[in-house]
Amino acid sequence: MENKQKTIAVLTSGGDAPGMNAAIRAVVRTALHRGMRVLGVRRGYNGLINGDMVELNYLSVSDIMHRGGTILYTARCAEFREDAGVEKAKETCIKMGIDGVVVIGGDGSYRGARDLSLKGIPCVGLPGTIDNDISSTEYTIGYDTAMNTVCDMVDRLRDTSQSHDRCSVVEVMGRKAGYIALNTGIACGASVILMPEVPYDLEKDVLDKIRNAHKTGKQHFIVMVAEGVGGVEELAKKIEAATGIETRACVLGHVQRGGAPSLTDRVAATKMGYHAVELLEQGIGNRVVGLQCNEVVDYDILEGLEMVKTIDTNLVRIAEEVSL
Ligand code: F6P
């Protein structure tokens, strides 16, 4: 019997992250190298529902490794959260002869990959989010770049904060997780780091700390706050009122998601993209790929979604002790 050429599709879904393009490139190049056809699906699951896709070749992914964003565009697709949407996507896959799909995104995108896998279309998830909040992997594509961007921004803030003897309350991304806040807080020498995982007492953990450090002669302060904690404007007002130190809030926002991916993100994306194709080549779907101790691993999607990842309490302690 003649061997049918395999066709795989690749899409990016959810919030974009630097390094997604490197992952797309790895998927496309690996698949072509192994004799498969590759379709690039536009705007996440929307493209899978509407058949908005284009065949990709070696050159389609040239010169994208160093670019932020995603050449395939991305979206959060409400229709795909309903069974009817998943059913439509399945029909498109059958019509287009798609034998497997690589989904690059976060937890929400993984749930979609699970639903489509359950309908018989093998899907493999790759962790793409700056938040690093996917439990089945120690590392997510985009995390390193985003943290370097935060460091760069906060270094600039520190200059003006220092010149004015001010306190800067900085909100960094991480709706549910404090990984960015904790690591960048340490790297930027924050006096206080607030994360959703660690409850805090305003008087003791924020105001007293700043007051005490002020008494020792420290004149400017960085307070790093994860988005999931929120309320930076109010916090800035409270700090100013309680300590007498002029305080400004700064929400770094979406700049954290842009820019050229770091070396770490390019390599992580390439390793994981390569592995995703190896799985689909063998007809293995319903898996999520990740990195553990820098080695590529994969798990059943359901198992992956049920895993729990916790903040590094040792790092929290270190941050606490080294800040003034
Ligand atoms: O999940 C990545 C992330 O950047 C979160 O940190 C943030 O809360 C969210 O996406 C913002 O989403 P949007 O781009 O839809 O505003």
Side-chain angles (χ1 to χ4, degrees), residues 101-307:
V101 184
V102 178
V103 173
I104 308 166
D107 264 4
S109 313
Y110 279 9
R111 278 185 207 100
R114 173 205 56 197
D115 295 345
L116 194 56
S117 291
L118 289 175
K119 291 209 182 273
I121 308 292
C123 295
V124 176
L126 290 189
T129 166
I130 64 163
D131 292 355
N132 200 31
D133 62 348
I134 298 182
S135 300
S136 51
T137 183
E138 276 177 5
Y139 188 79
T140 61
I141 298 163
Y143 179 47
D144 182 63
T145 307
M147 289 196 297
N148 283 307
T149 302
V150 171
C151 278
D152 184 40
M153 297 293 151
V154 176
D155 285 350
R156 288 160 199 254
L157 264 179
R158 172 191 296 284
D159 289 344
T160 160
S161 205
Q162 183 264 332
S163 309
H164 287 262
D165 291 331
R166 275 180 182 158
C167 173
S168 283
V169 179
V170 186
E171 182 190 290
V172 293
M173 275 191 168
R175 203 166 12 202
K176 293 173 292 176
Y179 299 105
I180 295 179
L182 177 58
N183 285 277
T184 59
I186 290 174
C188 298
S191 302
V192 176
I193 304 172
L194 303 179
M195 306 154 261
E197 297 89 341
V198 184
Y200 73 98
D201 179 88
L202 178 67
E203 271 303 320
K204 180 168 116 346
D205 301 320
V206 183
L207 303 178
D208 279 352
K209 244 186 139 183
I210 294 175
R211 283 189 202 108
N212 293 339
H214 201 212
K215 278 186 207 143
T216 69
K218 188 167 169 59
Q219 301 290 342
H220 63 278
F221 300 85
I222 304 288
V223 174
M224 196 68 86
V225 183
E227 181 188 0
V229 173
V232 286
E233 289 289 347
E234 300 78 54
L235 183 60
K237 283 187 190 128
K238 285 179 187 161
I239 292 173
E240 184 163 314
T243 64
I245 301 163
E246 211 179 355
T247 304
R248 296 281 189 273
C250 176
V251 177
L252 292 186
H254 288 82
V255 288
Q256 294 164 90
R257 292 226 301 250
S262 67
L263 176 143
T264 299
D265 279 321
R266 296 180 200 195
V267 176
T270 302
K271 279 161 72 170
M272 292 195 274
Y274 180 88
H275 188 69
V277 175
E278 281 192 318
L279 290 172
L280 289 179
E281 188 184 25
Q282 298 166 64
I284 302 173
N286 199 28
R287 307 292 289 177
V288 283
V289 176
L291 288 178
Q292 303 290 4
C293 302
N294 215 21
E295 293 295 322
V296 180
V297 290
D298 61 87
Y299 305 98
D300 176 89
I301 299 186
L302 212 66
E303 193 191 329
L305 283 170
E306 279 168 3
M307 287 177 167

